Amino acid sequence: DAESFVLAASGGLGSSNRFKVNASGHAFFPSLQSNGTGTNIIINASTGELYEDTSSIKFKENVTDLKSDSSNLLKVFCCTYNRIGSDIEESGIIAEHLEKIMPEFVGYKNESPHSVKYDKLTVPLIHLAQKHDSEIKKLRDRIAILEEV
């Protein structure tokens, strides 16, 4: 490991690696390792800070039911495209289009739409599916009653 750059902190029981770049240019963050399935790592684009994207209740407070209008998801323009300079077709959402209806799911760079926070769209998608499932159950119950008449 002589060809690696290591940023470490010492104290207590010795030192622990915080950040390492090996000779191939791969970055490692041993202090963020988990013991199994993994955790998403988030980069705060405005500060450059790296942190774990935690979901456990032990990291949260003021937990309440979602009160957003998830029906806006039905207005999202989904498309296929290729990136400039590539022939590979991809599918996704255009940040500028999403900004008009759900700006909280847009990442900004230099105050302009830059990316879509796809990972954060999961929650309102689940919420919308739950609402639709509830509506479908109510409609099925009404149909059943009407069919009995």
Side-chain angles (χ1 to χ4, degrees), residues 11-29:
L13 299 173
S15 67
S16 62
N17 293 339
R18 300 287 186 221
F19 174 78
K20 177 173 108 174
V21 178
N22 68 13
S24 301
H26 296 115
F28 299 89
F29 300 88

Side-chain angles (χ1 to χ4, degrees), residues 6-131:
V6 177
L7 177 64
S10 61
L13 299 173
S15 67
S16 62
N17 293 339
R18 300 287 186 221
F19 174 78
K20 177 173 108 174
V21 178
N22 68 13
S24 301
H26 296 115
F28 299 89
F29 300 88
S31 62
L32 297 176
Q33 279 180 310
S34 71
N35 62 352
T37 59
T39 299
N40 289 334
I41 302 300
I42 304 296
I43 300 172
N44 181 327
S46 60
T47 66
E49 177 187 10
L50 279 139
Y51 60 92
E52 295 177 271
D53 189 14
T54 58
S55 294
S56 172
I57 191 70
K58 64 186 170 190
F59 299 108
K60 300 182 178 177
E61 59 186 4
N62 304 318
V63 177
T64 61
D65 286 340
L66 183 64
K67 293 176 181 71
S68 74
D69 184 7
S70 55
S71 64
N72 279 337
L73 287 166
L74 300 174
K75 300 174 189 171
V76 173
F77 173 64
C78 299
C79 60
T80 59
Y81 55 86
N82 61 289
R83 294 179 190 272
I84 297 171
S86 171
D87 293 330
I88 299 170
E89 186 177 272
E90 299 179 45
S91 61
I93 300 168
I94 305 299
E96 288 82 355
H97 295 172
L98 186 61
E99 179 187 38
K100 293 173 186 172
I101 54 173
M102 301 179 88
E104 65 272 28
F105 298 106
V106 175
Y108 292 86
K109 187 173 186 178
N110 300 325
E111 299 181 24
S112 295
H114 186 71
S115 60
V116 172
K117 299 176 184 176
Y118 288 102
D119 60 322
K120 300 300 181 193
L121 280 170
T122 306
V123 173
L125 281 169
I126 292 170
H127 189 246
L128 183 61
Q130 290 170 336
K131 284 172 55 175

